[in-house]
């Protein structure tokens, strides 16, 4: 009224409307025709001292709109307009709400630049771009499926599947929830996800994909679909839909066009409903060429020499999800010939490999790793792979097999290759057996790669030196690299890093090492990271190492001797990947220890 844009009578009517609809006064003034929204927005811009935008003349990019979840946009009436670098411009009806701005900054991981928009136009714009969050997500997924050449989705039923489960699945085959689930399962494969998480909370449920090791929220289905979604998954995985009190495990096999995708399903009772996690096992994405994962030439040569031995033991160690199984499959593929009998015991069997006899471990019926290993020795094997050495019994049988003319491959959960040796000794295995049987131990990690589309060079900071426990004037010689490692690093450097490292030698200092990061773009969802890269610590057994094991020394002494013999530690291999421009220093520091 102070601006002279409305009358007292108009304000009273708008206030009366507010009591009925709950909408703000400004929205009602525009709706009732008492004021032009452009004039109202200009007045508010002067009041808040912020820029204003006329959304009626602004076209919002759909990809930008997806940066803010639909539920959040509708609840707080906000709309992302454009992104420049790390700054996201967001239209708001109430830019004075700092709490909303903080929420947006946390969820999007961008700096928020608020601008004022008329509430009437903004509300319609939000409805246009978001509507019902579940419906929008479903339509988007179905559109993606229809764009694919092999968009047909078909449940592949195992021959021994119970009829009741099949009948129940057929009974709800026409339900809308089936389309939503098929859309999500197909979309996750298309986007290269390794896992899908369905999570139930008190007032909402959400769906997240794990892509390149990081979880990304993709949608929030309406709560009314919760029971139907979970029941549908159980039917597809042949689980007991009436049992909601205990965890269950199953498998789903989908035929998507010409591809057959396996999903490992796990349900878990939580406070507000069952959580369902699906591990995607896409054989089409299984890469058995370790060189493509970034293993250094010498490390790969040592691994292949150990695998080609007719007997002995090869161990792979690392945390869950670090690619141990892929490494073992890659090694087995090198020796999988018609004249070799290969037996594996796995829990679970992640990929079916032709020419390899794979056994699924089932502890509930007594088919443990140790029991399978005993049976294997009566099956005339050449090569045995055990999913994991968990106890003294399994370790003892594996050592015996390795010493009696079989090549044994397995995994352990330790932090480094030298610690694997001490772990075996701590289990109770004799040092002379371990020293005689071991051919090689490989420790590995996965780090995220710098996005190719938005990669830029950055300078070292004091925080970088402190976090990496390095000094600027330390040389590569001080870090115990070999000339061979430096030369291999040069050959594998990306084109941006190649001219920077071309003249590197053992006297090159840490401050000369180039660092690269991603600015954030559409290709990497604004993270600056896309894809993953392996880090490998390969400790081949040498006479000196066997002697140290016989002396029952600690992991520190074994590590020092292995480095002297040319082994690259995980941190050393990670820094080589940093020099090549493949990954960031932060990723290496997060996944390895100095």
């Amino acid at each position: 009224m102070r601006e002279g844009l409305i009358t007292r009578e108009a304000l009273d009517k708008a206030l009366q409307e507010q009591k009925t609809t709950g909408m703000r006064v400004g929205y009602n003034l525009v709706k009732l025709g008492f004021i032009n929204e452009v004039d109202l927005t200009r007045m508010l811009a002067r009041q808040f001292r912020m820029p204003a935008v006329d959304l009626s003349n602004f076209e919002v990019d759909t990809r930008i709109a997806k940066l803010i979840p639909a539920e959040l946009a509708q609840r707080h009436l906000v709309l992302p307009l454009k992104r420049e670098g790390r700054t996201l411009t967001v239209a708001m009806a109430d830019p004075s709400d700092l709490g909303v701005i903080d929420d947006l900054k946390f969820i999007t991981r961008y700096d928020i630049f608020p601008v004022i928009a008329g509430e009437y136009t903004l509300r319609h714009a939000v409805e246009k771009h978001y509507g019902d969050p579940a419906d929008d997500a479903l339509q988007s997924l179905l559109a993606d499926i229809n764009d694919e050449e092999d968009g047909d989705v078909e449940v592949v039923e195992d021959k021994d599947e119970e009829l009741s489960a099949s009948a129940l699945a057929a009974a709800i085959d026409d339900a809308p929830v089936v389309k939503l689930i098929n859309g999500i399962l197909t979309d996750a494969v298309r986007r290269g996800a390794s896992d899908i998480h369905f999570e139930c909370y008190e007032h909402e449920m959400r769906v997240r994909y794990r892509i390149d090791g990081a979880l990304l929220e993709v949608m929030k289905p309406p709560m009314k679909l919760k029971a139907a979604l979970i029941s549908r998954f159980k039917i597809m995985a042949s689980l007991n839909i009436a049992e909601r009190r205990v965890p269950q495990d199953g498998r789903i096999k989908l035929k998507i066009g010409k591809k057959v995708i396996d999903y490992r399903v796990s349900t878990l009772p939580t406070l507000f409903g069952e959580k369902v996690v699906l591990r995607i096992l896409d054989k089409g994405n299984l890469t058995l060429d370790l060189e493509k994962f970034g293993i250094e030439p010498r490390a790969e040569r040592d691994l292949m020499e150990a695998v080609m031995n007719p007997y002995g033991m090869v161990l792979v160690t690392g945390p869950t999800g670090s690619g141990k199984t892929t490494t073992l499959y890659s090694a087995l593929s090198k020796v999988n010939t018609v004249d070799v009998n290969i037996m594996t015991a796995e829990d679970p069997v992640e990929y079916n490999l032709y020419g390899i006899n794979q056994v699924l471990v089932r502890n509930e019926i007594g088919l443990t790793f140790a029991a399978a290993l005993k049976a294997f020795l009566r099956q005339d094997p050449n090569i045995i792979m055990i999913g994991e050495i968990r106890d003294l019994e399994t370790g003892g049988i594996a050592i015996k097999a390795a010493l009696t003319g079989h090549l044994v491959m397995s995994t352990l959960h330790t932090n480094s290759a030298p610690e694997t040796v001490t772990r075996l000794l701590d289990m109770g295995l004799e040092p002379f057996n371990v020293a005689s049987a071991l051919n090689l131990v490989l420790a590995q990690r996965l780090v995220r790669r710098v996005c190719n589309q938005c990669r830029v060079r950055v300078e070292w900071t004091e925080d970088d030196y402190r976090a990496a426990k390095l000094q600027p004037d330390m040389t590569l010689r001080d870090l115990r690299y070999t000339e061979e490692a430096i030369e291999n690093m040069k050959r594998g450097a990306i084109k941006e890093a190649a001219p920077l490292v071309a003249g590197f030698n053992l006297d090159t200092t840490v401050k000369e090492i180039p660092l690269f990061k991603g600015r954030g773009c559409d290709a990497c969802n604004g993270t600056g990271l896309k894809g993953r890269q392996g880090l490998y610590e390969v400790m081949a057994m040498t006479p000196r190492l066997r002697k140290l094991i016989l002396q029952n020394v600690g992991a520190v002494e074994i590590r020092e001797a292995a480095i002297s013999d040319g082994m690259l530690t995980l941190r050393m291999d990670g820094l080589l990947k940093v020099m090549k421009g493949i990954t960031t220093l932060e990723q290496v520091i997060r996944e390895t220890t100095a």
Side-chain angles (χ1 to χ4, degrees), residues 488-515:
N488 287 333
M489 178 273 297
K490 295 177 186 179
R491 287 194 286 270
I494 63 171
K495 62 181 180 179
E496 293 91 343
L500 301 173
V501 300
F504 275 23
N505 54 52
L506 294 179
D507 294 319
T508 299
T509 60
V510 169
K511 63 185 176 185
E512 297 176 77
I513 296 175
L515 300 181

Side-chain angles (χ1 to χ4, degrees), residues 145 149-158 182 185-186 189 232 236 252-263 281-282:
I145 297 170
E149 290 184 3
D150 3 283
D152 295 332
V153 178
E154 174 187 344
V155 177
V156 180
E157 298 177 348
D158 291 329
N182 287 346
L185 295 179
T186 307
V189 172
R232 173 63 182 171
M236 295 173 74
I252 296 173
K253 185 178 289 187
L254 284 187
K255 185 177 182 182
I256 303 175
K258 297 179 180 179
K259 292 177 65 176
V260 175
I261 310 294
D262 281 318
Y263 299 83
L281 305 173
D282 183 359

